[in-house]
Amino acid sequence: MSAPPAVPTTPLSTQAEITAEIALAHSSTDRDGGRPLLDFPAYRSSLSRHPTGGLRPVDPEGAELLAPVFGHSDVDPLEADLTIQNGGDPIGERIRVEGRVLDGDGRPVRHQLVEIWQANAAGRYIHERDQHPAPIDPRFTGVGRCLTDAEGRYSFVTIKPGPYPWRNHRNAWRPAHIHFSLFGTEFTQRLITQMYFPQDPLFALDPIYQSIADPAARARLVATYDHEISEHEWLLGYRWDIVLTGSRNTPVERVEHHG
């Protein structure tokens, strides 16, 4: 489960300083294929958390001997509805997020394990390190999972998460987002990314979102409101496809920094 990073030991920068650092980084770097920049000073903890040494080869088959396994019977369809998991209706705006997992040629990725986790409507995770003064919703766990179908489709019913403070700098707030994790044919093939909501005013201020230098790649992290997915007097619908490879791929995290 995600949680804010540890309290910085140096004085907090202002938002204006962070925004200036973001602009400088964007002007002085290439777009890096639309992937997040590992060494991104405006994202303070990236300086100590990104890899700095050389890569070390590992035996993937040996790793798989120690990795967990799952089968279709292990994933209950009810796990995709985050609004029914804890004995009552959670507080907040009920939404459905659905889309397809595709490869670079537009072919569906079938039977893919998709997991999500998120803050509640007040912007708080159920996590011991998340102690900012927003209420915990006892009827919302913030986690769910499903398998894609034969057309690569996934679907989750959940509560729209709220923004939250995260201590990167003074008055720092993360845009509302949902974390997505996808496994390939093996658990060593895990990909992690974040989905955002349209027209969030915090986009320009957030160094995690802005660590992707390519504006077109950043835009691929933002879901689209889809009225056909919305249900009468029940929920609003968002569509977000995940493309795993190719020039239109969805940006993914190359290290697990789940801010």
Side-chain angles (χ1 to χ4, degrees):
M1 187 73 69
S2 296
V7 177
T9 58
T10 57
L12 292 176
S13 302
T14 66
Q15 180 65 62
E17 291 170 328
I18 293 295
T19 300
E21 291 180 26
I22 290 172
L24 178 62
H26 284 183
S27 67
S28 61
T29 186
D30 61 32
R31 295 185 176 184
D32 197 29
R35 294 177 295 181
L37 299 173
L38 291 177
D39 187 353
F40 194 68
Y43 178 15
R44 292 293 188 251
S45 62
S46 74
L47 303 182
S48 60
R49 296 168 70 179
H50 73 79
T52 57
L55 299 177
R56 295 187 178 184
V58 297
D59 177 9
E61 292 185 1
E64 282 301 312
L65 293 175
L66 303 175
V69 296
F70 73 98
H72 293 178
S73 62
D74 298 318
V75 182
D76 192 307
L78 294 179
E79 294 181 74
D81 189 342
L82 282 68
T83 68
I84 62 173
Q85 295 176 350
N86 231 30
D89 293 328
I91 302 298
E93 177 186 338
R94 187 184 291 106
I95 63 172
R96 181 186 299 277
V97 178
E98 69 176 47
R100 301 179 72 199
V101 180
L102 306 168
D103 67 15
D105 295 318
R107 296 172 298 200
V109 180
R110 302 176 176 91
H111 312 306
Q112 171 84 58
L113 177 63
V114 182
E115 297 178 314
I116 65 170
W117 64 97
Q118 62 170 93
N120 65 21
R124 186 162 175 182
Y125 293 97
I126 301 178
H127 192 285
E128 62 183 8
R129 287 180 57 193
D130 193 347
Q131 297 295 321
H132 82 279
I136 290 175
D137 187 342
R139 293 179 174 173
F140 187 72
T141 66
V143 296
R145 62 180 184 168
C146 72
L147 295 174
T148 58
D149 66 12
E151 298 300 320
R153 292 183 295 241
Y154 74 87
S155 180
F156 291 99
V157 174
T158 186
I159 297 297
K160 187 174 182 181
Y164 58 81
W166 66 294
R167 301 177 181 175
N168 183 72
H169 53 278
R170 189 173 184 277
N171 205 17
W173 290 82
R174 296 268 11 248
H177 60 277
I178 297 176
H179 298 265
F180 276 71
S181 166
L182 297 95
F183 285 102
T185 56
E186 300 172 341
F187 271 59
T188 51
Q189 299 174 339
R190 189 184 189 195
L191 297 177
I192 298 173
T193 187
Q194 298 181 17
M195 187 211 83
Y196 298 86
F197 293 87
Q199 301 178 333
D200 195 308
L202 295 172
F203 283 157
L205 307 178
D206 180 46
I208 293 182
Y209 180 74
Q210 295 293 333
S211 68
I212 302 169
D214 184 353
R218 288 199 301 270
R220 294 199 291 273
L221 293 177
V222 182
T224 301
Y225 172 73
D226 190 330
H227 201 64
E228 294 303 312
I229 299 175
S230 299
E231 298 181 23
H232 177 65
E233 297 187 353
W234 187 244
L235 56 75
L236 294 179
Y238 293 88
R239 183 174 300 280
W240 191 57
D241 292 341
I242 302 170
V243 181
L244 299 181
T245 59
S247 61
R248 298 287 298 171
N249 69 302
T250 303
V252 298
E253 300 173 12
R254 289 183 287 187
V255 290
E256 295 191 9
H257 45 64
H258 310 319

